[in-house]
Amino acid sequence: MTTGLSLSPNQRVRQPVSLLGAGGAATALGVALTTAGIAISSVWSRRFDRAQALAARLPGATASADPQTAAERGALVVLAIPDSAIAPLCARLNWHPGQAVIHLAGAYGRELLAPAAYAGAETGTFHPLQTFAGHDDPAAWRGVAVAIEADPPLAAELVALARCLGAEPIQLAPAQRPLYHAAAALSANGLVALVGVAANLLSRATGLERAAAVQHLLPLLRGVLANLEQLGLPRAATGPVARADQQTLERHRAALAHEAPEWLALYCALLRAMLPLARERAADDPERVVALDALASWLADVQSSGEVSS
Ligand SMILES: NC(=O)c1ccc[n+]([C@@H]2O[C@H](COP(=O)([O-])OP(=O)(O)OC[C@H]3O[C@@H](n4cnc5c(N)ncnc54)[C@H](OP(=O)(O)O)[C@@H]3O)[C@@H](O)[C@H]2O)c1
């Protein structure tokens, strides 16, 4: 990945923008674009009421009843629909030279937009490394990496668009997109899944409702993020693995094996992922390195035991 995208100070941003889709990403993008002064002409969604609801929040935008009308109303058409729906919708619409169409999917390149390119439209990708679950604070775009793939002149326009939002345009080799998106999903969706499991265990241990358990985990999560932001890796790695505290980990293993055996394999996999960070931290501490070697052997034994694989 490189950040070598350049932008001339007078780079125009193609407008108006037409949004095909009115879900989390379209809402976040639409609100941020209008806040940045970019015109949105049209919104389409399969459910007209959803298109109307979003259009009502974007000054100057109207809801379109069909995607072709919406596409024709935009100089830049954004396909903000689920990844699997992009290629079929793109193939269903008529495109022409002078139009530009982009999608927001992280794991795919411009191949999903091949019918538009064949018809002479410019095509591109614009994937924000951010999660949008209904909140639409334009500040959520600040400092966010946006993976852009397009040919000139659209590429420079998309760079300008990202910068308008306070985001950081990046380039990504098309072949690397699935790995790039796996990293994004792991840290965003994986973290939510992990908190779901942790909240469940905390509820069992304390009798708290899940919502209250999540609230109690939030300060801890904020502390982790602050450590990552201020100290980076590997220094943000704390806890019993970083301390090579096998005795404490053995207590965790026994508790999980007894109370929640379904999560023991996940717990062990995360310990394994923590080990290289702990080793990095312990590079100048030979005693800790020896203890970490012993911990790695213990973990291998636990992982190969029937307890984990069952
Ligand atoms: N949300 C995020 O955090 C995020 C972040 C980065 C990138 N993205 C990308 O943004 C795109 C949209 O994701 P999203 O999270 O905004 O999705 P979403 O909230 O589920 O919204 C989906 C939108 O697409 C429409 N839609 C659903 N199925 C469709 C189909 N088969 N054909 C045509 N339209 C369909 C929905 O219409 P109705 O509701 O009216 O049926 C709705 O307007 C995806 O490519 C995703 O990878 C999302």
Side-chain angles (χ1 to χ4, degrees):
M1 191 190 311
T2 65
T3 55
L5 291 163
S6 61
L7 172 68
S8 93
N10 299 322
Q11 179 61 56
R12 77 188 178 102
V13 174
R14 200 178 300 214
Q15 324 182 30
V17 173
S18 188
L19 296 173
L20 274 63
T27 301
L29 183 62
V31 171
L33 287 176
T34 48
T35 304
I38 309 280
I40 308 232
S41 55
S42 198
V43 181
W44 169 82
S45 191
R46 285 186 310 185
R47 285 169 24 209
F48 189 58
D49 61 324
R50 215 170 171 194
Q52 284 178 307
L54 179 54
R57 302 183 54 200
L58 308 174
T62 55
S64 295
D66 69 276
Q68 187 66 55
T69 305
E72 278 160 17
R73 285 188 182 151
L76 176 65
V77 180
V78 182
L79 298 189
I81 57 177
D83 298 6
S84 60
I86 294 169
L89 181 62
C90 183
R92 193 149 68 83
L93 300 178
N94 296 316
W95 303 98
H96 56 76
Q99 271 185 314
V101 53
I102 61 174
H103 71 66
L104 309 178
Y108 302 88
R110 286 183 290 173
E111 68 279 2
L112 298 184
L113 306 174
Y118 186 73
E122 292 167 75
T123 60
T125 69
F126 192 86
H127 176 261
L129 201 56
Q130 177 59 292
T131 173
F132 306 108
H135 61 85
D136 50 21
D137 181 356
W141 287 82
R142 256 181 238 140
V144 169
V146 176
I148 289 170
E149 184 193 338
D151 293 326
L154 182 60
E157 294 178 35
L158 295 179
V159 167
L161 198 68
R163 295 253 162 86
C164 278
L165 304 176
E168 180 64 39
I170 58 170
Q171 272 176 332
L172 186 63
Q176 297 302 329
R177 293 191 75 100
L179 191 61
Y180 154 86
H181 193 248
L186 193 60
S187 56
N189 322 132
L191 181 60
V192 172
L194 206 53
V195 171
V197 173
N200 184 285
L201 299 181
L202 193 59
S203 291
R204 289 197 218 181
T206 61
L208 286 169
E209 294 291 328
R210 187 176 67 173
V214 170
Q215 288 303 315
H216 283 293
L217 289 171
L218 283 176
L220 181 59
L221 289 161
R222 287 192 200 101
V224 171
L225 291 181
N227 286 346
L228 282 168
E229 195 156 20
Q230 288 157 27
L231 306 174
L233 293 175
R235 285 180 65 208
T238 61
V241 176
R243 293 190 291 269
D245 181 352
Q246 190 175 321
Q247 210 172 328
T248 297
L249 292 170
E250 175 52 32
R251 284 174 74 81
H252 294 176
R253 183 211 59 75
L256 285 167
H258 188 249
E259 303 278 346
E262 69 275 24
W263 298 122
L264 188 54
L266 175 68
Y267 185 79
C268 287
L270 291 171
L271 294 189
R272 197 156 61 87
M274 191 75 171
L275 269 171
L277 296 172
R279 286 191 198 283
E280 249 188 277
R281 275 203 72 169
D284 54 0
D285 182 346
E287 200 181 327
R288 180 70 58 89
V289 170
V290 171
L292 285 170
D293 286 343
L295 188 59
S297 304
W298 169 81
L299 182 58
D301 289 347
V302 172
Q303 286 195 291
S304 62
S305 73
E307 190 177 57
V308 168
S309 51
S310 62

